[in-house]
Amino acid sequence: MEEIEEGSSNNSIRRVGTGSSDRRWVDGSEVDSETPPFSEIRGRDYSFGNLRRRLMKKPKRADSLDVEAMEIAGSHGHNLKDLSLLGTLGIAFQTLGVVYGDMGTSPLYVFSDVFSKVPIRSEVDVLGALSLVIYTIAVIPLAKYVFVVLKANDNGEGGTFALYSLICRYAKVNKLPNQQPADEQISSFRLKLPTPELERALWIKEALETKGYLKTLLLLLVLMGTSMIIGDGILTPAMSVMSAMSGLQGEVKGFGTNALVMSSIVILVALFSIQRFGTGKVGFLFAPVLALWFFSLGAIGIYNLLKYDITVIRALNPFYIVLFFNKNSKQAWSALGGCVLCITGAEAMFADLGHFSVRSIQMAFTCVVFPCLLLAYMGQAAYLTKHPEASARIFYDSVPKSLFWPVFVIATLAAMIASQAMISATFSCVKQAMALGCFPRLKIIHTSKKRMGQIYIPVINWFLMIMCILVVSIFRSTTHIANAYGIAEVGVMMVSTVLVTLVMLLIWQTNIFLALCFPLIFGSVETIYLLAVLTKILEGGWVPLVFATFFLTVMYIWNYGSVLKYQSEVRERISMDFMRELGSTLGTIRIPGIGLLYNELVQGIPSIFGQFLLTLPAIHSTIIFVCIKYVPVPVVPQEERFLFRRVCPKDYHMFRCIARYGYKDVRKEDSRVFEQLLIESLEKFLRCEALEDALESTMNDFDPDRDSVASDTYTDDLMAPLIHRAKRSEPEQELDSEVLPSSSVGTSMEEDPALEYELAALREATDSGLTYLLAHGDVRAKKNSIFVKKLVINYFYAFLRRNCRAGAANLTVPHMNILQAGMTYMV
């Protein structure tokens, strides 16, 4: 097994658009208003000769230059390619083992939980419960997810954070001001703003961007949904494994509650212990096992229908639901919470979308999962009409005696696969939260180089295992665990309903009537289910609420502290006036070498750089400010990874490199590979910059009267940094060469002394070695802050920072050649 360790940075997705500015600086960023435009200073240096002018010349560029995006533009879309029918069928078969494991194992415990609340006294009880289950599956997974929610994907990615990132791209709802116009040039960004004529979409966009409380409310909603998913990662293994093992209670003598609990704990420990090996080696077995499981459900259902009572298909008439509630009143309301269990795992249809396609998930559900589940529940209902006393063990009692042990083995395997899928989904969810700056940085191990979704987070794995063991040990019954299970499921569904409604209004620009029908229909149904499961708070429903509150608190405190820290760094960044006063020597000695200063700023010079200047007796001849930044897209193509910009005049030899990653990206780069890519990208940047300068100089010499016009149109053309220029066809390039007078650009490039000087300096610095300059920033609340802020920042956030992954391990830099400097930020 090949394992790659990753540390996820908290630079995250918080982005606020800065807009365009007419005042552009040497490093392309917007600096403090008191700093004069560098062009004014540049105009005073004409006496230093041509070389000095070329070294000091400020290129008239937009915010940044993507040096690796020149060869591609939009060719790396994240959408799955169109597949043939045979290919779609193959992918649909694979979804059985990953997406539908949790929902597929629900027949193990649904009716046993429902009829623990409502005793069976007549066929109305059976038919009413069956009708509830049928229409619950038809309304939520089929109508809501298959036909609507799956279409609200983020370039093929699904889940709560995918919806949030999608909204972030259309409205500036993030809190960290690290968005750049160049991020919109990423091929997977695919930004399409609302059209001006749709005032409703524009009004919603403006409200989200200008009202801080709406941003906070949206973030809390997303974090709540994520917390519920993590809670599912605790309850699903406990519920599934315990339900599968409960079949032995009526078959093996002496197999009581204690034996059930102990055997379930043993399987859970084994299940979590093998997580570090990854699912790649056994994953190919998941789909065949679940396919066999669904076949067994359907076959046993048909057998029971034909043998006992085929007339239970009358439950397709929803009027039996009315009769059920009229007959049982409060007990029926309590049983409604048990019906929710039949759609456990429905959110996985959307959350696991990134590994499959919309059509494959739709095909698998409509053609296999939905019919097999209906047959299974109808078969159990038919059996109950003749044997109402068997409700406690309805699944295994309805299985023909000769097939008990084969079905038991398949059921146990299916339960473990369902647990495995939920555990993997929890890992992915935590990783996305870390990428978006909403979870403390933890150690991540990638168990496969081929599939980026196969990850392992040791801390989360052992935490889930301990919590599962505690849940099984305390509740000791699937009925009590089921009371806790429903709340987490309904909570996640309601969050998805709200976010998809926002997508409809803001992005899809759906008709207002149709857009409001979605939350009115599905939101009403889910609210009814939520009220039903909330009645079970004292019976175990408090468990997911405690888990959700804990993770919500952790994630919000981490995000809150990270935002304050970033804002403090922005306020305390070094001004350009101060850098000019220091001169190209930076007030110290410049020695050969490259210093990679890791920081979180995407604009300006971080204040920690001043600490290094004061502390170190000398500084490197080339300084590169490296920012590991996560943007709100699933994947950033490798060719679009790096952004380079120059910081200060050319003779300072200072640059900024922003390495951009999507929330699904895997940071696999070895430090040496990363260094090589960075240096090669920097060389490309220098050559492209020299080429642009040569083109500008040549055009100005050819037509001196076009200076004033060129300055405007040139900047606008570079808003998409050289991407469009790189894709021009050969006839266009030939046309340009005919327009340009005198010497060719290539000749001027070869004879450019400024370029040769910088490339030589870069090679000398590279040969001298790279040093990693890391900042260790502490965050403290100001003395005049309120008590709650001091408590959150000085204790809770400080505790999380001390115990999370940080420094060289988090940034995946080598442990050699590291210099660290500490700094305290007062927020």
Side-chain angles (χ1 to χ4, degrees):
M1 179 193 63
E2 296 171 301
E3 295 186 350
I4 302 146
E5 188 177 313
E6 176 189 329
S8 224
S9 178
N10 68 330
N11 306 353
S12 76
I13 63 154
R14 303 291 171 262
R15 63 187 184 91
V16 178
T18 56
S20 60
S21 174
D22 293 330
R23 301 175 61 180
R24 305 195 185 280
W25 299 85
V26 167
D27 68 336
S29 62
E30 296 177 353
V31 195
D32 299 335
S33 58
E34 67 268 17
T35 311
F38 186 72
S39 57
E40 297 177 10
I41 300 176
R42 182 170 59 90
R44 303 169 190 166
D45 294 334
Y46 287 126
S47 58
F48 289 93
N50 184 61
L51 179 59
R52 178 64 176 173
R53 283 200 304 272
R54 295 301 297 275
L55 285 172
M56 295 292 292
K57 185 175 181 178
K58 165 186 148 306
K60 299 175 183 177
R61 288 185 173 84
D63 184 68
S64 56
L65 177 66
D66 187 345
V67 298
E68 289 198 355
M70 297 171 59
E71 298 177 359
I72 40 92
S75 59
H76 293 270
H78 188 60
N79 287 334
L80 288 174
K81 58 181 179 296
D82 293 334
L83 296 173
S84 62
L85 178 61
L86 186 61
T88 303
L89 288 174
I91 296 180
F93 178 74
Q94 296 176 27
T95 63
L96 296 177
V98 178
V99 177
Y100 297 112
D102 195 2
M103 193 183 303
T105 55
S106 59
L108 288 169
Y109 44 77
V110 171
F111 275 154
S112 62
D113 184 74
V114 169
F115 293 116
S116 67
K117 310 296 190 301
V118 179
I120 301 177
R121 298 187 180 94
S122 67
E123 69 173 8
V124 172
D125 298 321
V126 176
L127 295 177
L130 176 60
S131 187
L132 269 175
V133 169
I134 291 174
Y135 283 98
T136 299
I137 299 175
V139 171
I140 303 298
L142 183 63
K144 177 187 173 182
Y145 281 93
V146 170
F147 292 110
V148 181
V149 176
L150 286 178
K151 298 179 181 179
N153 59 81
D154 180 18
N155 290 341
E157 296 293 337
T160 304
F161 270 111
L163 286 174
Y164 183 61
S165 70
L166 184 64
I167 295 171
C168 287
R169 299 211 298 276
Y170 285 79
K172 301 164 186 174
V173 296
N174 289 317
K175 295 185 176 181
L176 288 184
N178 67 348
Q179 181 198 15
Q180 297 172 286
D183 294 339
E184 299 178 10
Q185 303 301 328
I186 298 174
S187 58
S188 56
F189 206 94
R190 295 179 58 189
L191 184 62
K192 180 182 179 183
L193 294 177
T195 54
E197 62 269 19
L198 293 180
E199 296 183 1
R200 168 174 50 84
L202 292 173
W203 178 82
I204 295 174
K205 180 176 183 292
E206 181 181 1
L208 288 174
E209 292 177 348
T210 56
K211 300 184 185 303
Y213 70 91
L214 289 180
K215 296 180 181 180
T216 303
L217 184 62
L218 182 61
L219 177 63
L220 286 174
L221 186 68
V222 172
L223 296 183
M224 175 60 72
T226 305
S227 303
M228 292 291 186
I229 292 176
I230 298 175
D232 274 353
I234 297 172
L235 297 175
T236 297
M239 184 70 179
S240 300
V241 172
M242 205 169 183
S243 297
M245 296 301 297
S246 64
L248 296 177
Q249 283 187 305
E251 193 72 19
V252 179
K253 293 182 179 181
F255 194 86
T257 302
N258 291 332
L260 172 64
V261 171
M262 293 305 299
S263 60
S264 299
I265 290 177
V266 169
I267 292 180
L268 288 172
V269 171
L271 178 65
F272 284 99
S273 298
I274 64 174
Q275 292 300 313
R276 63 190 183 92
F277 298 106
T279 59
K281 293 182 174 61
V282 295
F284 68 94
L285 293 175
F286 285 5
V289 170
L290 263 297
L292 183 59
W293 169 250
F294 281 112
F295 173 78
S296 302
L297 290 179
I300 294 172
I302 294 174
Y303 170 81
N304 289 325
L305 276 173
L306 297 177
K307 181 176 181 179
Y308 296 105
D309 188 2
I310 197 172
T311 63
V312 295
I313 62 174
R314 290 175 292 166
L316 293 174
N317 183 357
F319 185 68
Y320 281 99
I321 297 177
V322 178
L323 297 177
F324 181 74
F325 275 91
N326 286 337
K327 181 177 181 296
N328 297 288
S329 60
K330 291 183 179 180
Q331 289 179 324
W333 184 256
S334 179
L336 184 61
C339 290
V340 175
L341 300 179
C342 71
I343 54 174
T344 55
E347 183 65 23
M349 297 169 63
F350 187 50
D352 293 328
L353 180 60
H355 300 294
F356 305 101
S357 65
V358 173
R359 181 173 296 182
S360 64
I361 292 179
Q362 292 173 331
M363 187 178 296
F365 184 81
T366 55
C367 298
V368 178
V369 178
F370 186 54
C372 289
L373 288 178
L374 291 189
L375 290 173
Y377 288 118
M378 286 181 178
Q380 292 182 19
Y383 186 88
L384 286 173
T385 58
K386 305 299 182 183
H387 305 280
E389 73 284 352
S391 60
R393 296 185 70 254
I394 175 58
F395 177 78
Y396 284 108
D397 284 353
S398 64
V399 175
K401 296 296 183 182
S402 59
L403 297 178
F404 173 83
W405 286 108
V407 171
F408 173 77
V409 172
I410 299 174
T412 304
L413 292 176
M416 294 183 67
I417 291 173
S419 304
Q420 173 65 56
M422 200 62 228
I423 294 169
S424 300
T426 303
F427 291 159
S428 299
C429 188
V430 171
K431 180 183 182 298
Q432 291 182 21
M434 280 191 284
L436 303 183
C438 298
F439 205 93
R441 302 180 298 268
L442 301 174
K443 179 180 180 181
I444 297 178
I445 296 176
H446 296 271
T447 57
S448 173
K449 283 188 175 182
K450 297 179 180 179
R451 297 179 66 90
M452 67 179 181
Q454 295 182 4
I455 61 175
Y456 168 65
I457 306 178
V459 173
I460 298 298
N461 182 69
W462 301 124
F463 176 82
L464 293 179
M465 186 189 75
I466 294 173
M467 291 298 103
C468 281
I469 293 175
L470 288 178
V471 167
V472 171
S473 302
I474 293 173
F475 289 101
R476 303 172 65 84
S477 168
T478 57
T479 302
H480 293 106
I481 298 178
N483 295 334
Y485 203 11
I487 294 180
E489 289 291 335
V490 178
V492 176
M493 294 175 185
M494 295 192 70
V495 170
S496 297
T497 299
V498 174
L499 294 179
V500 171
T501 302
L502 190 57
V503 169
M504 286 181 170
L505 294 172
L506 178 65
I507 302 172
W508 291 357
Q509 301 166 11
T510 309
N511 179 274
I512 187 69
F513 175 76
L514 296 177
L516 292 181
C517 283
F518 181 78
L520 286 177
I521 296 175
F522 299 109
S524 299
V525 173
E526 290 164 355
T527 302
I528 293 173
Y529 281 125
L530 181 63
L531 294 176
V533 295
L534 286 178
T535 60
K536 302 179 180 180
I537 287 182
L538 298 180
E539 303 173 16
W542 56 270
V543 173
L545 296 180
V546 170
F547 287 145
T549 302
F550 171 75
F551 283 106
L552 175 65
T553 303
V554 169
M555 289 191 288
Y556 187 76
I557 289 176
W558 182 263
N559 179 264
Y560 176 70
S562 300
V563 169
L564 291 181
K565 179 176 179 291
Y566 190 92
Q567 292 174 345
S568 178
E569 290 182 346
V570 171
R571 287 194 305 269
E572 298 178 13
R573 59 187 178 185
I574 299 175
S575 67
M576 298 302 296
D577 285 339
F578 179 74
M579 295 301 298
R580 282 193 293 270
E581 291 176 3
L582 290 179
S584 60
T585 62
L586 301 178
T588 184
I589 302 173
R590 304 292 294 269
I591 59 175
I594 297 178
L596 301 180
L597 196 155
Y598 280 75
N599 68 106
E600 299 178 8
L601 291 183
V602 296
Q603 295 178 350
I605 300 174
S607 55
I608 195 67
F609 183 60
Q611 294 291 326
F612 281 109
L613 292 178
L614 293 174
T615 305
L616 300 178
I619 201 69
H620 303 82
S621 59
T622 300
I623 299 294
I624 303 176
F625 299 105
V626 181
C627 172
I628 306 296
K629 172 184 172 181
Y630 284 86
V631 292
V633 296
V635 176
V636 176
Q638 181 67 35
E639 296 82 359
E640 303 177 25
R641 180 81 66 211
F642 294 104
L643 288 174
F644 264 93
R645 284 157 36 185
R646 186 180 293 279
V647 181
C648 299
K650 287 188 175 182
D651 53 351
Y652 280 58
H653 302 293
M654 296 171 61
F655 307 91
R656 172 173 292 105
C657 171
I658 300 176
R660 303 177 297 180
Y661 293 85
Y663 57 82
K664 295 282 287 186
D665 268 329
V666 175
R667 290 184 56 198
K668 290 183 178 180
E669 301 100 334
D670 179 78
S671 59
R672 295 182 180 179
V673 175
F674 184 83
E675 293 172 2
Q676 182 180 359
L677 288 173
L678 187 144
I679 299 302
E680 291 176 355
S681 300
L682 180 55
E683 290 184 359
K684 291 181 182 179
F685 168 77
L686 294 176
R687 296 183 185 278
C688 293
E689 184 185 52
L691 174 61
E692 292 296 325
D693 288 343
L695 288 172
E696 179 186 2
S697 176
T698 304
M699 294 304 297
N700 287 339
D701 292 341
F702 175 67
D703 188 3
D705 295 334
R706 87 187 273 277
D707 275 355
S708 59
V709 178
S711 62
D712 295 333
T713 58
Y714 183 65
T715 301
D716 292 339
D717 185 46
L718 286 180
M719 285 303 291
L722 292 185
I723 294 178
H724 300 294
R725 291 180 174 236
K727 293 189 67 179
R728 289 184 302 187
S729 60
E730 294 181 2
E732 291 176 326
Q733 294 176 357
E734 293 174 0
L735 180 61
D736 287 347
S737 63
E738 294 175 1
V739 172
L740 294 179
S742 64
S743 62
S744 66
V745 175
T747 304
S748 62
M749 287 274 296
E750 294 175 359
E751 298 175 355
D752 189 347
L755 175 61
E756 294 301 324
Y757 169 74
E758 282 208 280
L759 291 177
L762 178 61
R763 296 188 187 102
E764 180 183 3
T766 304
D767 293 339
S768 299
L770 283 76
T771 302
Y772 291 85
L773 309 177
L774 304 184
H776 177 70
D778 191 17
V779 182
R780 305 289 294 178
K782 297 179 181 178
K783 292 184 178 180
N784 58 351
S785 301
I786 61 175
F787 172 76
V788 175
K789 184 177 180 179
K790 290 181 179 179
L791 180 66
V792 170
I793 296 299
N794 296 347
Y795 294 96
F796 295 152
Y797 181 68
F799 174 80
L800 293 175
R801 284 186 61 85
R802 285 196 303 269
N803 292 277
C804 74
R805 210 163 188 244
N810 175 61
L811 297 171
T812 62
V813 299
H815 293 276
M816 302 294 291
N817 302 326
I818 292 179
L819 293 176
Q820 287 187 318
M823 188 170 184
T824 301
Y825 298 98
M826 304 303 296
V827 298

